[in-house]
Amino acid sequence: MCCRLFERRMLREGEAPQKGTFWGPGRKRKKLRRESRDQEMSETAIEFKNISKQFGNVYANKNISLKLYKGEILALLGENGSGKTTLMNMLAGIYYPDEGSIAVDGKEVSIRSPKDALSLGIGMVHQHFKLVDVLTATENVILGLPGKLNIKEAETKIREICDRYGFVVDPNKKIYDMTVSEKQTVEIVKVLYRGVNILILDEPTAVLTPQEAERLFRVIWRMRNDGKAIIIITHKMHEVKEISDRVAILRKGEYIGEMATEDADIQELTNMMVGRAVSLNIERKTPVNPKPKIEVEHLTILDEEGVAKISDVSFTANSGEILGIAGISGCGQKELLECISGLVKPLNGHVYYVEEDESRTDLVNLNPLQIQQKGIALSFVPEDRLGMGLVGSMDIADNMMLRSFRYGATQQDIDRVNKSRFLENLKQKMQPFTDRKTPRNLAQTVVEDLNVVTPSINTPVSNLSGGNVQKVLVGREIASHPKVLMTAYAVRGLDINSSYQIYDLINKQKESGTAVIYVGEDLDVLLELSDRILVLCGGRVSGIIDGRGANKEEVGLMMTSMGGEQGK
Amino acid sequence: MIDLVAFIPRAIGQSVPLLFGCTGEIITEKSGNLNLGIPGVMYVGGICGVIGAFAYEQASKGNMIGILAIGIPMLCSLIGSLLMGLLYCFLTVSLRANQNVTGLAMTTFGVGFGNFFGGSLIKLSGSDLPTISLSKTSSFFSASLPFADKLGWFGKIFLSYGFLTYLAIIIAAAAGLIIKKTRTGLHLRAVGENPATADAAGIDVVRYKYISTCLGCMIAGLGGLYYVMDYASGIWSNDAFGDRGWLAIALVIFCIWKPGLGILASILFGGLYIVYLYIPAGMDHMEYKELYKMIPYVVTLIVLVITSMRNKKENQPPASLGLPYFRENR
């Protein structure tokens, strides 16, 4: 089943002719790749020699030696927190190594600041874009360069770069008006404008749609064929197979090994990453006694500008079942989940929560607190982890407390008092102070059970890597024993091992009778995990299909071909 | 009603300290430093100028040379406020102390510093009143163009001021141009909006923060100097400067971080600041006058509400205002 992962090429040219221009015919790409294969890869662009970097007592990188050749694409693999980004940040001048040295073009160099890195021809596109929102694309591109300010001249040069590599970017557009993909284009133009020879891309496809990712790959190939050396950090195995020439693997800050991509297979790479054999299968048990839990009827949601993000959506989520939601990103998935969890008021329609005795409660006019007080256990793992899910500057234990602080009692107590108004009032009166002990224990459990890499539970969550942040959030939500669990892009930015741990957790919730609504972007996983799949297209339901019989092409078509409203 | 030809010059006279303070604070805030120490810096700028002028008046024994009479107090004032700026930067940029706390402490310190040395000088000069009079130095500062009197209302409204008034306007206009049109300005804005981005682009964030904050303090300090030497005719008395420093900070919000707009806004504020003197309230209702004194603050609140409601990105404060920057923070 694992090979499905890297075979995944959603919506190839044949299936979606109207979109074919995005990445052109597949044959051309093959040709591009072969040309570069013939190139001699002997010239070293970068050499890391015994690099070490410590944060506190933890080694982020330990004694790493690694070479990068000109005209190749190196994929850097590793679990969350294995030190990939740290290593790259040392190349980009954000961090300075504690030990070891870096050689560029055979000469040993000292990279003390991003400026030094740029002058050596090293450019990095960070995972979190480094762009100034209120400035235009051009202003961002020329930021930091010396000389007189000449916007016109810069614009001309940007247009030349765009033509050369096939980008589309409006130089006068402000960053805050841009989509994620446009922002990334600006980032890449920014490094190209500076004439870099070594390009580092830190999880470039994490926030892109498959189409946008394909477009990005074409650009990367073109750069490689220009003789540039490229390092790409990614968690998506099929991308590693698709784009890279060589793979290097890090584990817990240490260098494990490397191999030519041709010789690598996903199972082997994963085992090297994790350090033991990992099963890449997703179990899908037949739902036991599914009963309707959430019934959504004719839901319409407008965004702030009054544009309908969700129009006339109806579906049912059953207990003990995973309902997958597929769709190009920005098709209303976020709004739908936020509406069910009480964060957004719809224009019209109803969201019913069905009790065990089949009585129905309309959640539409309740806020999350009121829903909780009615004894309805909804859990929502939002897309924006540090914005909506957790408080970045607070530690893991305090973030656990966000769900329980109101009661000064344990989660079990909450479940109990929810049943009785009298008890609840009594509890609140009797306990003016919050209970810090239970959240601390919970934090400890989550850290241990989900293998969160952190110095301690007193570490602010913003200091954790993306995957660990997600584990903390999912861990907290699951610990509250939800009846309905909603997750939006639960594995975004997570390495393959963590992703499978999350799938496992979700499956366990399903088995315990929770109704799970899973919004995902990886179609393969959606197809393997979901019992039923709801496909959204431009805010409308283009179909609800059974997860077992469905094939990817069918779902892919449903995602794009309805009413002419395609993803942007 | 109001005699405009008399009112406008007085409003402008009131506006100059505000304009200096406002321009200085805008330059500072553009680098992401919220310097609430500006009122204190203006006090220090004022008293340092007074100390310089006092020393020179004593030393020269009446034979004062124009260039020195202006140059010495100005230099003292600039050095005083520069030191304040350096202190602020050292604490907030190098040591990454909390900007609000540091700024407030510096205001308290600056006011105390001014009153302490003001009081000492009053003792030294042995005057009967609790003031120091530096009327000779002041006459150099407030000298207007000789033909200003002959041009009637035009001369009164446009040409009847000392050179610091024009300097304030020139500095504000120049600051506006530099921030908007030059590469230095672009880099400065980037530092204030997103220092991590600026850093990754190769801009020396620490240097920009230091220079802009110190420069901002020096400009603001001139506001204090102007107040003593020109507006108050060289008479220093403790606490006379009042809350103009805070008004200057309010003005920054009012003119949505645009120094060019600050020129007009400061004149408006200057007018609002003294409008109570021109509104006939009679002797029965002195309390109304107190209410009129509130107008500048009320206007600032209204502007704050309107700019927040319009929610246009360009009119918002620099995104990283008040936040310390450390490269290795994740």
Side-chain angles (χ1 to χ4, degrees), chain A residues 138 142 147-155 193, chain B residues 181 183:
Chain A
T138 309
I142 59 172
K148 207 173 163 290
L149 193 66
N150 190 339
I151 299 281
K152 282 264 157 56
E153 200 182 293
E155 273 174 20
Y193 190 94
Chain B
K181 296 277 181 198
R183 201 174 277 274

Side-chain angles (χ1 to χ4, degrees), chain B residues 61-145:
Chain B
K61 306 209 165 54
N63 306 318
M64 292 170 75
I65 308 163
I67 189 103
L68 287 177
I70 288 174
I72 291 176
M74 231 172 134
L75 194 67
C76 290
S77 166
L78 288 175
I79 291 173
S81 35
L82 172 66
L83 289 175
M84 289 289 276
L86 282 173
L87 176 68
Y88 178 84
C89 285
F90 179 67
L91 289 171
T92 62
V93 181
S94 299
L95 302 181
R96 293 186 286 278
N98 182 302
Q99 295 187 6
N100 298 338
V101 176
T102 310
L104 291 174
M106 279 186 45
T107 289
T108 315
F109 169 77
V111 173
F113 181 91
N115 288 344
F116 174 75
F117 281 96
S120 309
L121 286 186
I122 290 165
K123 278 258 162 84
L124 275 181
S125 64
S127 86
D128 304 332
L129 298 166
T131 53
I132 312 159
S133 180
L134 300 164
S135 45
K136 280 182 189 147
T137 312
S138 167
S139 64
F140 289 105
F141 271 93
S142 54
S144 59
L145 292 171

Side-chain angles (χ1 to χ4, degrees), chain A residues 187-462:
Chain A
E187 279 278 25
I188 294 172
V189 172
K190 195 162 116 184
V191 288
L192 290 176
Y193 190 94
R194 286 160 167 77
V196 302
N197 295 315
I198 297 148
L199 182 67
I200 308 160
L201 298 156
D202 189 355
E203 292 191 38
T205 58
V207 287
L208 299 185
T209 63
Q211 291 89 332
E212 290 165 341
E214 285 284 348
R215 228 180 319 172
L216 174 69
F217 289 168
R218 283 175 57 77
V219 172
I220 295 176
W221 279 316
R222 228 169 270 170
M223 289 194 277
R224 190 261 309 266
N225 293 347
D226 275 1
K228 297 186 194 307
I230 295 148
I231 302 181
I232 180 167
I233 299 179
T234 177
H235 289 308
K236 299 180 184 169
M237 288 291 181
H238 70 277
E239 289 181 358
V240 173
K241 292 291 286 181
E242 191 174 335
I243 195 171
S244 69
D245 299 313
R246 210 154 52 90
V247 198
I249 293 148
L250 300 185
R251 187 203 310 151
K252 299 204 167 96
E254 291 184 58
Y255 176 71
I256 299 302
E258 58 160 64
M259 59 177 79
T261 307
E262 293 164 322
D263 310 331
D265 80 84
I266 289 186
Q267 187 66 50
E268 192 186 350
L269 289 175
T270 310
N271 294 353
M272 281 172 83
M273 257 170 65
V274 181
R276 59 187 154 80
V278 180
S279 154
L280 292 185
N281 293 324
I282 300 174
E283 238 183 320
R284 176 163 53 191
K285 291 191 177 153
T286 320
V288 183
N289 189 18
K291 276 191 193 144
K293 206 75 205 162
I294 291 280
E295 287 177 355
V296 173
E297 290 176 4
H298 305 293
L299 203 62
T300 299
I301 307 168
L302 304 183
D303 67 4
E304 277 167 21
E305 276 96 48
V307 180
K309 296 299 283 185
I310 284 286
S311 346
D312 196 24
V313 166
S314 304
F315 65 89
T316 306
N318 295 328
S319 61
E321 192 183 86
I322 296 178
L323 175 70
I325 297 185
I328 293 168
S329 68
C331 272
Q333 297 97 319
K334 178 172 168 249
E335 287 76 10
L336 183 59
L337 294 197
E338 285 183 357
C339 181
I340 297 174
S341 57
L343 293 167
V344 172
K345 296 272 163 279
L347 181 69
N348 49 45
H350 298 281
V351 177
Y352 291 109
Y353 174 82
V354 186
E355 304 274 1
E356 305 291 327
D357 57 7
E358 291 182 12
S359 63
R360 307 203 303 175
T361 319
D362 194 350
L363 304 182
V364 154
N365 287 314
L366 304 177
N367 64 34
L369 180 62
Q370 290 165 332
I371 293 176
Q372 201 188 357
Q373 281 171 345
K374 279 189 179 290
I376 298 171
L378 288 187
S379 268
F380 178 33
V381 178
E383 180 181 1
D384 181 11
R385 295 163 203 168
L386 282 179
M388 276 173 72
L390 301 167
V391 180
S393 56
M394 291 188 346
D395 65 23
I396 300 176
D398 282 357
N399 268 297
M400 295 294 160
M401 230 171 107
L402 286 179
R403 259 193 167 272
S404 61
F405 73 97
R406 208 181 298 281
Y407 301 95
T410 62
Q411 192 63 46
Q412 283 84 352
D413 290 335
I414 296 165
D415 295 342
R416 205 168 59 235
V417 294
N418 275 336
K419 299 213 171 73
S420 145
R421 277 249 145 232
F422 170 74
L423 255 178
E424 184 184 19
N425 292 337
L426 193 70
K427 267 256 178 291
Q428 278 177 346
K429 269 183 201 136
M430 283 172 66
Q431 297 209 348
F433 300 107
T434 50
D435 169 26
R436 301 188 70 92
K437 211 170 150 197
T438 323
R440 282 191 74 83
N441 292 340
L442 177 59
Q444 199 62 50
T445 319
V446 167
V447 166
E448 281 162 16
D449 289 359
L450 304 186
N451 299 320
V452 178
V453 180
T454 171
S456 81
I457 60 166
N458 300 320
T459 308
V461 286
S462 62

Side-chain angles (χ1 to χ4, degrees), chain A residues 126-190:
Chain A
H126 294 265
Q127 188 182 358
H128 306 288
F129 299 139
K130 302 229 184 254
L131 296 170
V132 180
D133 272 354
V134 294
L135 301 184
T136 63
T138 309
E139 285 170 329
N140 266 291
V141 167
I142 59 172
L143 202 62
L145 296 174
K148 207 173 163 290
L149 193 66
N150 190 339
I151 299 281
K152 282 264 157 56
E153 200 182 293
E155 273 174 20
T156 320
K157 206 175 152 192
I158 289 170
R159 290 220 164 85
E160 276 169 23
I161 293 171
C162 290
D163 290 345
R164 187 178 160 79
Y165 291 104
F167 293 123
V168 184
V169 69
D170 175 3
N172 292 318
K173 203 166 175 183
K174 293 264 165 106
I175 299 297
Y176 60 75
D177 280 332
M178 290 188 175
T179 63
V180 187
S181 154
E182 283 176 298
K183 286 181 193 173
Q184 188 176 54
T185 311
V186 175
E187 279 278 25
I188 294 172
V189 172
K190 195 162 116 184

Side-chain angles (χ1 to χ4, degrees), chain A residues 53 93-96 112-115 118 130-132 134-135 139 142-149 174 176 194 463, chain B residues 180-183 186-187 189-191 193-194 196-204 207 312-314 327-330:
Chain A
K53 176 80 184 172
I94 306 282
Y95 300 151
Y96 192 75
R112 295 227 161 245
S113 70
K115 203 174 180 175
L118 285 171
K130 302 229 184 254
L131 296 170
V132 180
V134 294
L135 301 184
E139 285 170 329
I142 59 172
L143 202 62
L145 296 174
K148 207 173 163 290
L149 193 66
K174 293 264 165 106
Y176 60 75
R194 286 160 167 77
N463 285 9
Chain B
K180 205 166 172 211
K181 296 277 181 198
T182 67
R183 201 174 277 274
L186 178 65
H187 291 181
R189 275 184 288 156
V191 167
E193 288 289 339
N194 193 336
T197 298
D199 197 13
I203 298 169
D204 191 337
R207 206 174 110 210
K312 204 176 160 216
K313 287 259 186 182
E314 283 83 354
R327 186 187 285 163
E328 299 208 355
N329 255 6
R330 284 198 278 179

Side-chain angles (χ1 to χ4, degrees), chain A residues 284 287 293-296 313-326 336-337 340 484-488 506-507 510 514-520 525-527 529-536 541 543-548:
Chain A
R284 176 163 53 191
K293 206 75 205 162
I294 291 280
E295 287 177 355
V296 173
V313 166
S314 304
F315 65 89
T316 306
N318 295 328
S319 61
E321 192 183 86
I322 296 178
L323 175 70
I325 297 185
L336 183 59
L337 294 197
I340 297 174
V484 180
L485 174 66
M486 291 174 279
T487 67
I506 290 174
N507 258 329
K510 162 186 156 184
T514 308
V516 180
I517 302 178
Y518 177 89
V519 174
V525 172
L526 260 175
L527 291 173
L529 191 68
S530 314
D531 297 299
R532 286 184 304 139
I533 299 174
L534 168 80
V535 187
L536 282 177
V541 178
I544 300 178
I545 52 178
D546 196 310
R548 277 170 187 78

Side-chain angles (χ1 to χ4, degrees), chain A residues 97-115:
Chain A
D98 295 338
E99 284 165 45
S101 64
I102 298 171
V104 176
D105 291 334
K107 269 183 295 207
E108 205 161 285
V109 291
S110 162
I111 308 173
R112 295 227 161 245
S113 70
K115 203 174 180 175

